[in-house]
């Protein structure tokens, strides 16, 4: 969507950009590609790439830490095409009630589309210049059986990559083949850093990749176990999906034709475990918190921010809302989110040193309510089969062990179950995206107001939780109310609004 007067974003047009737009103030041609990032979506471009862009502006000795992006999926072909035409440049728009702040990000130097040229990706990963591989592959990309916590070795992607190691499809297949090439060439492993919303994400990446390698080559698994590093990290920045509205904003108001801009909030946070034997950028110079223990930070963030997202999005879509700020303008949903954080989740959290928990929760409410972001509930509610087990069920498990309240957490699970039927209160189809969608919807339809069919999915619910009488009773009570009374009446009953 390009205005006749807009300037196409490319390296040779940066000098003609609107003066309100900050452009790279460093020589991109002198930056080397030291990090490969798998999964070049909006979040990576609003988060990790921004920190590195800040560091490249600072100069000094960090000019060998540019990013090479990798897209593994067939539909990544479109972003590969756009980035290629724009010399891997893109516009970042930070939106708040105070206005828009724009900058062109230059830290992404190259982008490879794996389905189009798998060998190029494998050789890039195996290159001596690649010292860090980072990933945003979503919660479902780790092939974890959420019910047991073990590796899902029966997944079709895994089965394919074990049978065809030189032509892989999934991230673990690419990583395994590249690591094998490095080992045979006498190179050390790259540091593998997960940047996904998975608790203990580095530890999970280590365990799942190790399980994959054991099925492929035990000696390779042993070598990586001895020499590899998997730092944990906690990432935070609300980033809605790019829309034509965003493209039109840039073209019409700022005169820039950008095929894939990123719109995000002003807030930005990254906490990283400092474990990089092959070296790393000096991220601490630009606000990254390097630490020995990420766990308290990620637990606080996932169980408050991410669980609250799950609490608001399914009930919000059932009530016909489209954006997060609309849900927060609804008294019932706003009360649900605040009480869930205060009454059921906060008692389970060990607050990291220096954090004011009440201020943190108030900041979350303000961030969720930001009308300029227009964060889509569809985005927040995608892959519920990974996000409910990752963000909501851990608090429920802790609470039932301690004898704490799970009423609102169970309401959240029941709202997801009701959402899986596919239509809102007015009978309109809701947007749905989940790798387990067929199984989930079949179970939801068979069960109706009875949650047992969904709770019986062993890939999602552990036997201990699925058989816990209090949890089953609370979810069943809320789900029956959704069916008998409807979403609005059920929300009002649970929030006293």
């Amino acid at each position: 969507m390009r205005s006749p007067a807009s300037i196409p974003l490319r390296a040779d047009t940066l000098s003609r950009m609107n003066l309100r737009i900050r452009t790279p103030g460093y020589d991109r041609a002198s930056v080397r590609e030291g990090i490969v990032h798998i999964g070049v979506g909006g979040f990576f471009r609003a988060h990790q790439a921004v920190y590195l862009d800040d560091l490249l502006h600072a100069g000094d000795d960090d000019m060998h830490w540019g990013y090479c992006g990798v897209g593994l999926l067939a539909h990544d072909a479109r972003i590969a095409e756009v980035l290629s035409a724009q010399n891997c440049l893109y516009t970042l728009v930070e939106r708040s009630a105070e206005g828009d702040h724009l900058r062109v990000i230059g830290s992404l130097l190259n982008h490879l589309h794996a389905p189009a040229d798998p060998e190029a990706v494998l050789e890039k990963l195996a290159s001596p210049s690649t010292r860090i591989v980072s990933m945003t592959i979503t919660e479902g990309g780790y092939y974890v059986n959420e019910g047991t916590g073990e590796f899902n070795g029966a997944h079709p992607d895994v089965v394919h990559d074990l049978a065809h190691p030189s032509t892989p499809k999934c991230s673990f297949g690419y990583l395994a083949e590249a690591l094998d090439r490095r080992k045979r060439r006498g190179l050390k492993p790259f540091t593998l850093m997960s940047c996904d919303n998975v608790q203990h994400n580095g530890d999970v990446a280590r365990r799942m990749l190790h399980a994959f390698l054991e099925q492929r080559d035990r000696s390779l698994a042993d070598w990586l176990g001895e020499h590899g590093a998997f730092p944990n990290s906690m990432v935070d920045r609300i980033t809605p999906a790019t829309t034509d509205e965003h493209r039109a904003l840039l073209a019409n108001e700022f005169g820039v034709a950008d095929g894939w801009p990123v719109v995000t909030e002003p807030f930005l946070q990254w906490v990283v475990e400092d474990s990089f034997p092959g070296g790393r950028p000096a991220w601490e110079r630009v606000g990254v918190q390097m630490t020995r223990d990420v766990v308290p930070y990620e637990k606080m963030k996932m169980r408050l921010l991410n669980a609250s997202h799950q609490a608001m999005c399914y009930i919000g879509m059932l009530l016909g809302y489209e954006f997060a700020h609309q849900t927060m303008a609804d008294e019932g949903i706003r009360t649900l989110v605040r009480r869930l954080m205060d009454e059921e989740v906060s008692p389970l959290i060990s607050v990291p040193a220096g954090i004011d928990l009440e201020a943190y929760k108030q900041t979350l409410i303000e961030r969720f309510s930001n009308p300029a972001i227009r964060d889509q509930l569809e985005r927040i509610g995608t892959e519920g089969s990974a996000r409910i087990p990752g963000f909501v069920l851990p608090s429920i498990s802790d609470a039932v062990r301690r004898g704490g309240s799970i009423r609102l957490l169970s309401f959240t699970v029941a709202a997801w179950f009701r959402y899986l039927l596919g239509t809102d209160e007015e009978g309109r189809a809701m947007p749905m995206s989940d790798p387990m969608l067929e199984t989930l919807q079949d179970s939801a339809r068979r069960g109706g107001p009875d949650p047992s069919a969904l709770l019986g999915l062993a890939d999602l619910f552990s036997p201990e939780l699925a058989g816990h009488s209090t949890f089953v009773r609370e979810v069943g009570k809320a789900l029956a109310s959704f069916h008998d009374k409807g979403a609005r009446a059920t929300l009002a009953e649970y929030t006293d609004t």
Side-chain angles (χ1 to χ4, degrees), residues 53 63 66 71 99 103 108 120 126 159 162 203 231 272 294 315-316 360 366 389 398 400 430 452 457 479 483 487-488:
D53 189 71
M63 303 303 281
R103 59 190 284 192
L108 181 64
V159 173
L162 289 172
D203 297 336
V272 181
V294 174
I315 184 64
Y360 179 78
E366 293 168 0
D398 283 356
V400 296
M430 293 180 292
S452 59
L457 295 175
L479 185 58
H483 282 266
R488 173 59 68 188

Side-chain angles (χ1 to χ4, degrees), residues 161 205 363:
D161 285 8
T363 298

Side-chain angles (χ1 to χ4, degrees), residues 7 10 33 36 43 72 159 183 196 239 285 336 373 376 385 457 462:
I7 300 170
R10 297 192 308 265
E33 301 167 20
V36 173
F43 182 77
L72 296 183
V159 173
K183 179 174 180 286
D196 282 298
T239 307
R285 294 181 57 204
L336 168 71
I373 291 297
Q376 307 97 334
S385 62
L457 295 175
S462 68

Side-chain angles (χ1 to χ4, degrees), residues 79-143:
I79 194 169
E81 178 184 339
V82 169
L83 289 173
S84 176
Q86 297 181 178
N87 306 118
C88 289
L89 296 166
Y90 62 92
T91 314
L92 182 85
V93 185
E94 293 183 358
R95 308 204 77 182
S96 68
E98 286 71 42
D100 297 330
H101 298 275
L102 284 73
R103 59 190 284 192
V104 173
I105 303 298
S107 57
L108 181 64
L109 306 175
N110 189 15
H111 185 276
L112 303 174
H113 186 221
D117 193 348
E119 186 61 23
V121 173
L122 289 169
E123 280 302 301
K124 186 65 181 178
L125 291 168
S127 168
S129 64
T130 298
R131 290 192 277 167
I132 299 171
V133 175
S134 54
M135 305 186 297
T136 46
I137 55 176
T138 79
E139 296 84 354
Y142 293 83
Y143 303 103

Side-chain angles (χ1 to χ4, degrees), residues 83-289:
L83 289 173
S84 176
Q86 297 181 178
N87 306 118
C88 289
L89 296 166
Y90 62 92
T91 314
L92 182 85
V93 185
E94 293 183 358
R95 308 204 77 182
S96 68
E98 286 71 42
D100 297 330
H101 298 275
L102 284 73
R103 59 190 284 192
V104 173
I105 303 298
S107 57
L108 181 64
L109 306 175
N110 189 15
H111 185 276
L112 303 174
H113 186 221
D117 193 348
E119 186 61 23
V121 173
L122 289 169
E123 280 302 301
K124 186 65 181 178
L125 291 168
S127 168
S129 64
T130 298
R131 290 192 277 167
I132 299 171
V133 175
S134 54
M135 305 186 297
T136 46
I137 55 176
T138 79
E139 296 84 354
Y142 293 83
Y143 303 103
V144 180
N145 181 311
E146 298 293 350
T148 65
E150 300 302 317
F151 181 64
N152 180 8
H155 193 284
D157 291 348
V158 173
V159 173
H160 173 276
D161 285 8
L162 289 172
H164 305 89
S166 61
T167 55
K169 290 184 176 180
C170 75
S171 58
F172 288 174
Y174 275 95
L175 295 172
E177 176 64 17
L179 287 166
D180 184 61
R181 295 184 185 191
R182 294 177 77 100
K183 179 174 180 286
R184 287 188 277 110
R185 295 170 186 176
L187 300 174
K188 293 181 179 180
F190 41 69
T191 296
L192 186 63
M193 179 172 61
S194 167
C195 297
D196 282 298
N197 282 316
V198 175
Q199 190 165 355
H200 315 294
N201 53 17
D203 297 336
V204 171
R206 180 198 300 271
R207 288 195 301 106
M208 297 304 112
L209 181 56
H210 185 81
F212 181 94
L213 292 177
E214 281 198 319
Q215 294 188 48
R216 172 180 161 143
D217 179 351
R218 184 176 293 274
S219 66
L220 184 59
D222 292 343
W223 173 78
L224 183 62
E226 181 179 356
H227 300 289
F230 298 76
N232 292 295
S233 70
M234 186 276 277
V235 296
D236 191 4
R237 193 172 216 186
I238 295 173
T239 307
T242 299
T243 66
D244 285 341
E245 180 183 349
H246 298 148
R247 297 179 180 93
L249 168 74
L250 281 172
N252 297 330
E253 296 191 25
F254 296 94
V256 178
D258 185 341
W260 219 294
V262 182
V263 173
T264 190
E265 63 174 339
F267 183 91
L268 182 64
Q269 186 180 21
W270 197 8
V271 183
V272 181
E273 181 183 0
D274 201 352
S275 177
F276 294 83
R280 64 167 176 82
W283 283 307
E284 66 274 13
R285 294 181 57 204
V286 289
V288 179
Q289 185 172 350

